[in-house]
Amino acid sequence: MAHVVTEACFNCKYTDCVVVCPVECFYEGESMVYINPDECIDCEACVPECPVEAIFHEDNLPEKWQEYIQINAEKSQELPVITEKKEPLADS
């Protein structure tokens, strides 16, 4: 099981979660970040760091965001890893 970044991250893209990740499993898209489920070690360090509460453990993911399990898995294969804090998007 892994953690999942959900729609709540869309167009804000805070990266507080990224800097606390011990395994560098976050990947940066244009409008949000994603977690690679094969790299996530379920340490939960990222969860309290997300100011918009966009990160959930797969087992606790609200039904309306179930599709983000697959979205994170796919997007994390296509995008570059992110390991440093960046400014959030202007819409945040």
Side-chain angles (χ1 to χ4, degrees):
M1 294 291 149
H3 283 78
V4 179
V5 181
T6 64
E7 186 176 315
C9 181
F10 189 77
N11 278 340
C12 62
K13 199 167 76 171
Y14 286 96
T15 53
D16 303 60
C17 54
V18 170
V19 295
V20 298
C21 181
V23 293
E24 300 177 357
C25 67
F26 281 87
Y27 291 79
E28 183 180 20
E30 187 173 317
S31 300
M32 64 183 281
V33 297
Y34 304 90
I35 294 175
N36 183 314
D38 295 328
E39 297 170 352
C40 178
I41 60 170
D42 293 328
C43 70
E44 297 194 17
C46 59
V47 176
E49 297 300 318
C50 181
V52 295
E53 299 179 355
I55 304 171
F56 294 85
H57 190 276
E58 197 173 325
D59 291 342
N60 298 327
L61 189 63
E63 186 66 34
K64 66 182 177 180
W65 289 330
Q66 288 292 312
E67 67 187 296
Y68 280 88
I69 294 171
Q70 186 66 31
I71 292 170
N72 276 253
E74 291 173 2
K75 291 290 188 179
S76 65
Q77 297 299 314
E78 305 166 358
L79 298 167
V81 69
I82 178 173
T83 59
E84 296 179 0
K85 185 171 173 65
K86 295 184 177 183
E87 290 296 316
L89 296 176
D91 293 343
S92 58

